[in-house]
Amino acid sequence: MRCLVLSDTFPNAVRPWRGSYNRYQVDGLAELCEVSVINPIPWTEVLKHPAYARLLRGRDDVLNNAPVYHPLLLHLPLVDRAANWKAVRRAADRCLAEGTAREVDVILATFAYPHGLAAKTLAQELEVPYVIKARGSDLHSLPKKGGRRRVTREALADAAAVVTVSDSLAELAQELGCDPSRVTVLRNGVDAEMFRPVARRGARRALGLNRDAEVCLFVGNLLPVKGVDVLVDAARRLDNNAVSVAAAGTGSLSGWLHARAADPRMDVRLRPLGHLARGEVRLWMNAADVVVLPSRDEGCPNVVLEALACGTPVVASRVGEVPNILDKECGIQVEPEDAEGLADALETALQRDWDRRVIRGKVADMTWEDNARRLHRILRGVVRKQA
């Protein structure tokens, strides 16, 4: 079977762990069938990161078993977003015209829109089925009406299969008109070799942290949807003002977070960490007493799975797939937007004696290898059905 992946967020030679969830899944899939990846790069990103320019020239060997191509994505940001799929399709067409694998049996779009509709039109031309993967914001952020919602519905309606990373996204896909029989929930996996328990004292020593400090760690994009503002509000409500909150990540709220951390009137210890490499994330997850994710919406958050693989308890909003991942043995769930409830949960988590082996055991069977095998069965099924 030959699969063409049309991807939104994908690793490259400049940032080899960008979109690590797609990297793991596609790398595993490439062990089971022939895979090629087209990952258009927006021209705005090339302007911001000049090193990306070299990615536009030919094949990127960032993966072990699959060629990756990065054609330039020419579009107008925030202008007629309902037509953005056309820019994705044009980028894919240019790439294919240059000799990228044209003989394919199935197309996989890793985001419902705009890549889903681009995959649909390309699949129609090549006379092959297409599958859409929905991860979170592609469905959560859809407006209640308008062109973008309409074309997303169109892409989902005609897909041979829709794969979602959470039950809540599966329900959303069905509300958008997708036949329930074609929707499969496939939760993310976790790299348990990279994210594993190490001695907390040693991790803190490596990071220069006091061994007796109480540390709450946030890891994620610093965007409004991740609720970092709720976390700061909750931290100010903690009875124990010796607790420090470390926040790893970048995004539109980076400046806001740094300003809060530097404000002498703030009565909470905030430590913005910026972007961390994967090994640094592992170290911080092992050094922290608790990992916190106060998101307003989620799909299947990798940070929760990675924290659990490190044996670290998690306090997270009851959104997306979190209710199916966290139980009382490995974490605490709270309602989104509830700073007071989040503060209470953090206090409870910091006071409790957690069993790290039990926590890690919660994700023992969530491997990327199994995830890839299940995805392969879905793709192979739609190919056989159309044959």
Side-chain angles (χ1 to χ4, degrees):
M1 180 177 72
R2 297 159 297 187
C3 176
L4 176 64
V5 177
L6 190 54
S7 184
D8 62 312
T9 305
F10 207 78
N12 55 58
V14 176
R15 295 179 61 190
W17 287 101
R18 181 177 183 263
S20 59
Y21 38 84
N22 282 333
R23 177 187 181 123
Y24 283 124
Q25 189 176 61
V26 172
D27 232 352
L29 184 64
E31 294 277 357
L32 304 169
C33 65
E34 184 179 327
V35 176
S36 297
V37 181
I38 295 178
N39 167 229
I41 296 183
W43 63 272
T44 51
E45 290 298 303
V46 177
L47 288 181
K48 287 189 290 186
H49 307 287
Y52 277 7
R54 66 185 177 92
L55 299 173
L56 307 176
R57 300 186 293 269
R59 170 174 169 159
D60 182 354
D61 291 317
V62 66
L63 297 186
N64 295 326
N65 302 302
V68 183
Y69 303 88
H70 306 287
L72 188 65
L73 182 65
L74 298 170
H75 72 304
L76 297 176
L78 304 181
V79 178
D80 192 14
R81 294 181 67 186
N84 282 354
W85 69 270
K86 297 178 181 178
V88 176
R89 173 63 199 275
R90 287 193 295 268
D93 283 344
R94 291 198 307 275
C95 192
L96 291 169
E98 293 169 2
T100 302
R102 189 75 177 180
E103 296 297 323
V104 301
D105 299 304
V106 62
I107 298 174
L108 171 65
T110 67
F111 215 50
Y113 185 80
H115 297 72
L117 194 56
K120 173 187 172 176
T121 59
L122 183 57
Q124 288 174 331
E125 179 179 319
L126 300 180
E127 298 182 337
V128 298
Y130 70 98
V131 173
I132 291 177
K133 175 183 172 184
R135 295 203 316 268
S137 60
D138 47 354
L139 299 189
H140 285 146
S141 64
L142 276 181
K144 295 298 183 182
K145 58 182 180 180
R148 187 154 59 99
R149 186 179 186 86
R150 175 180 54 78
V151 294
T152 301
R153 288 176 62 100
E154 179 184 339
L156 291 171
D158 293 334
V162 174
V163 177
T164 71
V165 298
S166 70
D167 289 339
S168 61
L169 283 171
E171 293 170 3
L172 270 177
Q174 292 170 43
E175 290 172 10
L176 288 165
C178 194
D179 184 342
S181 67
R182 291 186 289 105
V183 181
T184 301
V185 177
L186 181 57
R187 287 192 290 177
N188 287 340
V190 62
D191 183 354
E193 293 184 10
M194 166 57 68
F195 295 96
R196 63 185 189 277
V198 300
R200 181 161 293 162
R201 183 174 295 184
R204 292 193 170 194
R205 185 166 55 247
L207 294 171
L209 297 173
N210 187 306
R211 71 179 186 178
D212 297 320
E214 291 186 302
V215 180
C216 300
L217 174 67
F218 168 91
V219 179
N221 294 319
L222 296 179
L223 301 173
V225 70
K226 294 295 184 179
V228 68
D229 56 318
V230 181
L231 174 57
V232 172
D233 190 1
R236 301 187 69 178
R237 297 168 186 258
L238 294 174
D239 290 335
N240 184 354
N241 59 13
V243 176
S244 63
V245 176
T250 58
S252 61
L253 293 180
S254 293
W256 176 88
L257 185 65
H258 278 83
R260 295 298 181 278
D263 190 340
R265 297 168 297 178
M266 286 289 290
D267 51 356
V268 59
R269 300 182 182 182
L270 284 178
R271 183 171 179 175
L273 302 176
H275 172 74
L276 298 181
R278 297 165 72 242
E280 294 173 304
V281 172
R282 177 185 63 200
L283 206 57
W284 271 99
M285 284 183 169
N286 277 280
D289 295 282
V290 60
V291 170
V292 55
L293 187 67
S295 300
R296 294 174 166 93
D297 279 311
E298 276 293 349
C300 182
N302 276 57
V303 63
V304 171
L305 303 180
E306 292 164 356
L308 298 183
C310 290
T312 304
V314 175
V315 172
S317 299
R318 191 178 289 110
V319 294
E321 197 64 7
V322 168
N324 294 323
I325 299 173
L326 288 188
D327 61 28
K328 62 183 181 181
E329 292 184 313
C330 62
I332 302 173
Q333 299 177 38
V334 299
E335 294 301 321
E337 305 279 8
D338 183 2
E340 184 174 351
L342 180 59
D344 290 343
L346 290 175
E347 293 274 12
T348 300
L350 290 169
Q351 294 168 10
R352 180 174 167 183
D353 185 20
W354 300 88
D355 188 326
R356 298 188 74 185
R357 285 181 296 180
V358 170
I359 292 174
R360 180 171 167 84
K362 297 294 181 179
V363 295
D365 62 344
M366 296 182 66
T367 67
W368 281 112
E369 291 80 8
D370 180 66
N371 179 284
R373 283 193 294 268
R374 293 181 60 195
L375 178 60
H376 181 258
R377 286 197 295 269
I378 294 168
L379 297 172
R380 188 176 57 191
V382 301
V383 169
R384 287 178 173 175
K385 187 174 181 180
Q386 180 153 321

CSV table of all heavy atoms in Angstrom, one decimal, residues 184-216:
chain,number,residue,atom,x,y,z
A,184,THR,N,-13.3,6.7,13.8
A,184,THR,CA,-12.6,5.9,14.7
A,184,THR,C,-11.7,6.7,15.7
A,184,THR,O,-11.1,7.7,15.2
A,184,THR,CB,-11.6,4.9,14.0
A,184,THR,OG1,-12.3,4.1,13.1
A,184,THR,CG2,-10.8,4.1,15.0
A,185,VAL,N,-11.8,6.5,17.0
A,185,VAL,CA,-11.0,7.2,18.0
A,185,VAL,C,-9.7,6.5,18.1
A,185,VAL,O,-9.6,5.3,18.4
A,185,VAL,CB,-11.7,7.3,19.3
A,185,VAL,CG1,-10.8,7.9,20.4
A,185,VAL,CG2,-13.0,8.0,19.2
A,186,LEU,N,-8.6,7.2,17.8
A,186,LEU,CA,-7.2,6.6,17.9
A,186,LEU,C,-6.4,7.6,18.8
A,186,LEU,O,-5.9,8.6,18.3
A,186,LEU,CB,-6.6,6.4,16.5
A,186,LEU,CG,-5.2,5.9,16.5
A,186,LEU,CD1,-5.1,4.5,17.2
A,186,LEU,CD2,-4.8,5.8,15.0
A,187,ARG,N,-6.3,7.3,20.0
A,187,ARG,CA,-5.5,8.2,20.9
A,187,ARG,C,-4.1,8.2,20.6
A,187,ARG,O,-3.5,7.3,20.0
A,187,ARG,CB,-5.7,7.8,22.4
A,187,ARG,CG,-7.1,8.1,22.9
A,187,ARG,CD,-7.1,7.9,24.4
A,187,ARG,NE,-7.0,6.5,24.8
A,187,ARG,CZ,-7.0,6.1,26.1
A,187,ARG,NH1,-7.0,6.9,27.1
A,187,ARG,NH2,-6.9,4.8,26.4
A,188,ASN,N,-3.4,9.3,20.9
A,188,ASN,CA,-2.0,9.5,20.7
A,188,ASN,C,-1.2,8.4,21.5
A,188,ASN,O,-1.7,7.9,22.5
A,188,ASN,CB,-1.5,10.9,21.0
A,188,ASN,CG,-1.9,11.9,20.1
A,188,ASN,OD1,-2.3,11.6,18.9
A,188,ASN,ND2,-1.9,13.2,20.5
A,189,GLY,N,0.0,8.1,21.0
A,189,GLY,CA,0.9,7.3,21.8
A,189,GLY,C,1.9,8.1,22.6
A,189,GLY,O,1.8,9.4,22.6
A,190,VAL,N,2.8,7.5,23.2
A,190,VAL,CA,3.9,8.2,23.9
A,190,VAL,C,5.2,7.4,23.8
A,190,VAL,O,5.2,6.2,23.7
A,190,VAL,CB,3.5,8.2,25.4
A,190,VAL,CG1,3.4,6.9,26.1
A,190,VAL,CG2,4.5,9.1,26.2
A,191,ASP,N,6.3,8.2,23.7
A,191,ASP,CA,7.6,7.6,23.6
A,191,ASP,C,8.1,7.3,25.0
A,191,ASP,O,8.7,8.2,25.6
A,191,ASP,CB,8.5,8.6,22.9
A,191,ASP,CG,10.0,8.1,22.7
A,191,ASP,OD1,10.2,7.0,23.2
A,191,ASP,OD2,10.8,8.8,22.0
A,192,ALA,N,7.9,6.1,25.5
A,192,ALA,CA,8.2,5.8,26.8
A,192,ALA,C,9.7,5.6,27.1
A,192,ALA,O,10.1,5.5,28.2
A,192,ALA,CB,7.5,4.5,27.2
A,193,GLU,N,10.5,5.5,26.0
A,193,GLU,CA,11.9,5.4,26.2
A,193,GLU,C,12.5,6.8,26.4
A,193,GLU,O,13.4,7.0,27.2
A,193,GLU,CB,12.6,4.8,24.9
A,193,GLU,CG,12.2,3.3,24.7
A,193,GLU,CD,13.0,2.7,23.5
A,193,GLU,OE1,13.9,3.4,23.0
A,193,GLU,OE2,12.7,1.6,23.1
A,194,MET,N,12.0,7.8,25.7
A,194,MET,CA,12.4,9.2,26.0
A,194,MET,C,11.9,9.7,27.3
A,194,MET,O,12.6,10.2,28.1
A,194,MET,CB,12.0,10.1,24.8
A,194,MET,CG,12.1,11.6,25.1
A,194,MET,SD,13.8,12.2,25.6
A,194,MET,CE,14.7,11.9,24.1
A,195,PHE,N,10.6,9.5,27.5
A,195,PHE,CA,9.9,10.1,28.7
A,195,PHE,C,9.8,8.9,29.7
A,195,PHE,O,8.9,8.1,29.6
A,195,PHE,CB,8.6,10.7,28.3
A,195,PHE,CG,8.7,11.9,27.4
A,195,PHE,CD1,8.6,11.8,26.1
A,195,PHE,CD2,9.0,13.1,28.0
A,195,PHE,CE1,8.8,12.9,25.2
A,195,PHE,CE2,9.2,14.2,27.2
A,195,PHE,CZ,9.1,14.1,25.8
A,196,ARG,N,10.7,8.9,30.6
A,196,ARG,CA,10.8,7.9,31.6
A,196,ARG,C,11.2,8.5,33.0
A,196,ARG,O,11.7,9.6,33.0
A,196,ARG,CB,11.9,6.8,31.2
A,196,ARG,CG,13.3,7.4,31.1
A,196,ARG,CD,14.3,6.4,30.6
A,196,ARG,NE,15.6,6.9,30.7
A,196,ARG,CZ,16.2,7.7,29.9
A,196,ARG,NH1,15.6,8.1,28.8
A,196,ARG,NH2,17.5,8.1,30.1
A,197,PRO,N,10.9,7.8,34.0
A,197,PRO,CA,11.3,8.3,35.4
A,197,PRO,C,12.8,8.3,35.6
A,197,PRO,O,13.5,7.4,35.2
A,197,PRO,CB,10.6,7.3,36.3
A,197,PRO,CG,9.6,6.6,35.5
A,197,PRO,CD,10.1,6.5,34.1
A,198,VAL,N,13.3,9.4,36.1
A,198,VAL,CA,14.6,9.5,36.7
A,198,VAL,C,14.5,10.1,38.1
A,198,VAL,O,13.5,10.6,38.5
A,198,VAL,CB,15.5,10.4,35.8
A,198,VAL,CG1,15.6,9.9,34.4
A,198,VAL,CG2,15.0,11.8,35.8
A,199,ALA,N,15.6,9.9,38.8
A,199,ALA,CA,15.5,10.4,40.2
A,199,ALA,C,15.2,11.9,40.3
A,199,ALA,O,15.9,12.7,39.7
A,199,ALA,CB,16.8,10.0,40.9
A,200,ARG,N,14.2,12.2,41.1
A,200,ARG,CA,13.8,13.6,41.2
A,200,ARG,C,15.0,14.5,41.8
A,200,ARG,O,15.2,15.6,41.3
A,200,ARG,CB,12.6,13.7,42.1
A,200,ARG,CG,12.1,15.2,42.2
A,200,ARG,CD,10.6,15.2,42.7
A,200,ARG,NE,9.8,14.6,41.7
A,200,ARG,CZ,8.5,14.2,41.9
A,200,ARG,NH1,8.0,14.2,43.1
A,200,ARG,NH2,7.8,13.7,40.9
A,201,ARG,N,15.7,13.9,42.7
A,201,ARG,CA,16.8,14.7,43.3
A,201,ARG,C,17.8,15.0,42.3
A,201,ARG,O,18.3,16.1,42.2
A,201,ARG,CB,17.4,14.0,44.5
A,201,ARG,CG,18.5,14.7,45.2
A,201,ARG,CD,18.9,14.0,46.5
A,201,ARG,NE,17.9,13.9,47.5
A,201,ARG,CZ,18.0,13.4,48.7
A,201,ARG,NH1,19.2,12.9,49.0
A,201,ARG,NH2,17.0,13.4,49.5
A,202,GLY,N,18.1,14.0,41.5
A,202,GLY,CA,19.2,14.2,40.4
A,202,GLY,C,18.7,15.2,39.4
A,202,GLY,O,19.4,16.0,38.9
A,203,ALA,N,17.4,15.1,39.0
A,203,ALA,CA,16.8,16.1,38.0
A,203,ALA,C,16.9,17.5,38.5
A,203,ALA,O,17.2,18.4,37.8
A,203,ALA,CB,15.4,15.7,37.7
A,204,ARG,N,16.6,17.7,39.8
A,204,ARG,CA,16.6,19.0,40.4
A,204,ARG,C,18.0,19.5,40.5
A,204,ARG,O,18.3,20.7,40.3
A,204,ARG,CB,15.9,19.0,41.7
A,204,ARG,CG,14.4,18.7,41.6
A,204,ARG,CD,13.7,19.0,42.9
A,204,ARG,NE,12.2,19.0,42.7
A,204,ARG,CZ,11.4,19.4,43.5
A,204,ARG,NH1,11.7,20.0,44.7
A,204,ARG,NH2,10.1,19.4,43.2
A,205,ARG,N,18.9,18.7,40.8
A,205,ARG,CA,20.3,19.1,40.9
A,205,ARG,C,20.8,19.5,39.5
A,205,ARG,O,21.5,20.6,39.4
A,205,ARG,CB,21.2,17.9,41.4
A,205,ARG,CG,22.6,18.3,41.7
A,205,ARG,CD,23.4,17.3,42.5
A,205,ARG,NE,23.3,15.9,41.9
A,205,ARG,CZ,22.6,14.9,42.5
A,205,ARG,NH1,22.0,15.1,43.6
A,205,ARG,NH2,22.6,13.7,41.9
A,206,ALA,N,20.4,18.8,38.5
A,206,ALA,CA,20.8,19.2,37.1
A,206,ALA,C,20.3,20.5,36.7
A,206,ALA,O,20.9,21.2,35.9
A,206,ALA,CB,20.4,18.1,36.1
A,207,LEU,N,19.1,20.8,37.2
A,207,LEU,CA,18.4,22.1,36.8
A,207,LEU,C,18.7,23.2,37.8
A,207,LEU,O,18.2,24.3,37.6
A,207,LEU,CB,16.9,21.8,36.7
A,207,LEU,CG,16.4,20.9,35.6
A,207,LEU,CD1,15.0,20.6,35.8
A,207,LEU,CD2,16.7,21.5,34.3
A,208,GLY,N,19.4,22.9,38.8
A,208,GLY,CA,19.7,24.0,39.8
A,208,GLY,C,18.6,24.3,40.7
A,208,GLY,O,18.5,25.5,41.2
A,209,LEU,N,17.7,23.4,40.9
A,209,LEU,CA,16.5,23.6,41.8
A,209,LEU,C,16.8,23.1,43.2
A,209,LEU,O,17.4,22.1,43.4
A,209,LEU,CB,15.3,22.9,41.2
A,209,LEU,CG,14.8,23.3,39.8
A,209,LEU,CD1,13.7,22.4,39.4
A,209,LEU,CD2,14.3,24.8,39.9
A,210,ASN,N,16.2,23.8,44.1
A,210,ASN,CA,16.3,23.3,45.5
A,210,ASN,C,15.6,22.0,45.7
A,210,ASN,O,14.5,21.9,45.2
A,210,ASN,CB,15.6,24.4,46.4
A,210,ASN,CG,15.8,24.1,47.9
A,210,ASN,OD1,15.5,23.0,48.4
A,210,ASN,ND2,16.3,25.0,48.7
A,211,ARG,N,16.2,21.1,46.3
A,211,ARG,CA,15.6,19.7,46.4
A,211,ARG,C,14.3,19.7,47.2
A,211,ARG,O,13.5,18.8,47.0
A,211,ARG,CB,16.6,18.7,47.0
A,211,ARG,CG,16.8,18.9,48.5
A,211,ARG,CD,17.8,17.8,48.9
A,211,ARG,NE,18.0,17.8,50.4
A,211,ARG,CZ,18.8,17.0,51.1
A,211,ARG,NH1,19.4,16.1,50.4
A,211,ARG,NH2,18.9,17.1,52.4
A,212,ASP,N,14.1,20.7,48.0
A,212,ASP,CA,12.8,20.8,48.8
A,212,ASP,C,11.8,21.7,48.2
A,212,ASP,O,10.7,21.9,48.8
A,212,ASP,CB,13.2,21.3,50.3
A,212,ASP,CG,14.1,20.3,51.0
A,212,ASP,OD1,13.9,19.1,50.8
A,212,ASP,OD2,15.0,20.7,51.7
A,213,ALA,N,12.1,22.3,47.1
A,213,ALA,CA,11.1,23.2,46.4
A,213,ALA,C,9.9,22.5,46.0
A,213,ALA,O,9.9,21.3,45.7
A,213,ALA,CB,11.8,23.9,45.3
A,214,GLU,N,8.7,23.2,45.9
A,214,GLU,CA,7.5,22.6,45.4
A,214,GLU,C,7.3,23.3,44.0
A,214,GLU,O,7.1,24.5,43.9
A,214,GLU,CB,6.3,22.9,46.3
A,214,GLU,CG,6.4,22.1,47.6
A,214,GLU,CD,5.2,22.2,48.4
A,214,GLU,OE1,4.8,23.3,48.8
A,214,GLU,OE2,4.6,21.2,48.7
A,215,VAL,N,7.3,22.4,43.0
A,215,VAL,CA,7.3,23.0,41.6
A,215,VAL,C,6.1,22.4,40.8
A,215,VAL,O,5.9,21.2,40.7
A,215,VAL,CB,8.6,22.6,40.9
A,215,VAL,CG1,8.6,23.1,39.4
A,215,VAL,CG2,9.8,23.1,41.6
A,216,CYS,N,5.4,23.4,40.2
A,216,CYS,CA,4.3,23.0,39.3
A,216,CYS,C,4.8,23.4,37.9
A,216,CYS,O,5.3,24.5,37.7
A,216,CYS,CB,3.0,23.8,39.6
A,216,CYS,SG,2.3,23.5,41.2
